[in-house]
Amino acid sequence: MLQSGRVPERLTKASLVAVSHAIERAALAPAEDGPTVVVALFQRMPYFERESALYQRIAATAAVTVIGMVGPTPPALPQGTYGVLLDEAEPLAREWSVLVLTPRFGAALVARDRMEVEPTAATLEAGRLFDGGWSFRRDDALHEMVRLRGQLGDRLPRAALLVLDDVLGRARELPATPGEARGEAAIRLLVRRAERARNALDATRRPDEVSAQPAALLDDAAMRRWTGLDGITASGTLPVALVAVRVAEPAGAPERFGRRSAARETQAVLGALTAPLRPSDRAVRLAEHEYLLVLPSLSEDQGIEVAERVREGVAGLARSYPFVAFDVHAAVAVTARRPLPVADVRHALSWAVEQGVPLATVALEPAPAPAGVG
């Protein structure tokens, strides 16, 4: 972490994007004190693709530009950049870092993915939470560059290492640019104001989606926005437990007991479905009597626990509606895929209904272990 002694901050993806862009623009500024080296870890290729044109410009002026990410070998990186493939299991796979260093200037962002979501986030992607910090102080950037040089050095060509080591050596010998603390204080003020303005705008645009109360069901369009299908997202980062639930009552119940009673029953069922949800969870109606619960950061065991609580809650409605016995089936899966594999979970739910299995689980793919439930 940054050596300045700061306590790690809890950062959202939205705030990290703003700081990353500021550091990247600093990398593009003319360096009058010597060569510039840039190292950026992007986690996954889709996140880098959005910034590819910018890094092409950075690589054209920087002495060395290193891009790290998890996944197969990228089809192409901007000319002049050095690509480093990260293994899914190594700690750097969960790191979002952007470092810029010259002999007398430096800026650094270092954040580690918590694989959790801010409860009031406007989207699942924008609300991803990280622990870390950022700095526009040369010695912080120097400290982090030395760390990544040690972790990535055996995966970089000798030509890149020679330039990188030259800049590190000169930065150790020269004083940093005066006035760093004042410049950083101004940048922090601007970032805080931008984040407050963005939060206020999100609350105005989608008050139903950013509410900390998860009781309301999302429609399909709202669900697409919240899961990030209308923006930049990537598989392999945030694990999500999916719980598909089908609630069926005896045939002819509305005709036997009246439409008004049926409407009350439906509201009671919705209450039982959403009662176990945390503020970061969402529920969506897939079809009549079929629902999907989207539970960020939960493990399979935790997803099963939620499904069981839903089943118990719906079964308990018989105390209020003694003439209506609800039949409840559920399917649970944990996934890091994007878009979310809803069709697979619904298929498992249909199987459970056909086989008379109250609760089915389906293994979609190995998912990252959740960092914990906040």
Side-chain angles (χ1 to χ4, degrees), residues 59-125:
T61 59
V64 168
T65 303
V66 178
I67 306 296
M69 68 187 75
V70 175
T73 303
L77 288 175
Q79 185 176 1
T81 62
Y82 296 95
V84 175
L85 296 181
L86 305 176
D87 185 86
E88 180 73 60
E90 67 179 301
L92 290 181
R94 289 176 57 182
E95 187 169 320
W96 176 342
S97 294
V98 183
L99 311 179
V100 175
L101 182 69
T102 74
R104 298 195 65 192
F105 168 81
L109 179 154
V110 177
R112 293 181 176 86
D113 197 342
R114 290 182 57 85
M115 293 192 283
E116 298 177 9
V117 175
E118 183 184 48
T120 58
T123 70
L124 189 65
E125 185 69 35

Side-chain angles (χ1 to χ4, degrees), residues 155-281:
R155 288 174 272 186
L156 290 172
R158 177 173 173 77
L161 291 175
L162 288 174
V163 176
L164 178 55
D165 289 343
D166 176 61
V167 175
L168 290 174
R170 294 169 66 178
R172 288 188 180 100
E173 296 173 356
L174 296 173
T177 301
E180 287 182 327
R182 291 185 176 90
E184 183 177 296
I187 294 170
R188 289 187 178 277
L189 174 63
L190 292 175
V191 169
R192 284 195 298 269
R193 287 182 174 177
E195 189 161 16
R196 285 198 297 268
R198 182 176 53 249
N199 290 340
L201 182 60
D202 285 342
T204 301
R205 285 176 172 173
R206 305 189 191 99
D208 59 324
E209 293 173 47
V210 299
S211 169
Q213 302 300 322
L217 292 177
L218 299 184
D219 59 25
D220 183 64
M223 193 63 170
R224 286 183 62 84
R225 287 194 298 270
W226 186 70
T227 55
L229 296 184
D230 294 339
I232 302 296
T233 186
S235 297
T237 52
L238 178 71
V240 176
L242 301 176
V243 180
V245 180
R246 188 175 297 175
V247 181
E249 60 185 14
E255 288 73 17
R256 286 156 48 199
F257 305 112
R259 294 288 176 182
R260 181 173 299 177
S261 176
R264 289 196 298 268
E265 291 167 17
T266 299
Q267 289 303 311
V269 168
L270 295 182
L273 280 167
T274 57
L277 302 190
R278 305 162 300 163
S280 60
D281 301 331

Side-chain angles (χ1 to χ4, degrees), residues 214-215 243 269-283 293 295 298 302-314:
V243 180
V269 168
L270 295 182
L273 280 167
T274 57
L277 302 190
R278 305 162 300 163
S280 60
D281 301 331
R282 295 295 185 273
L293 308 181
L295 317 171
L298 291 195
Q302 292 167 323
I304 291 172
E305 181 181 351
V306 171
E308 293 288 7
R309 289 175 61 189
V310 167
R311 296 185 66 254
E312 291 171 4
V314 174

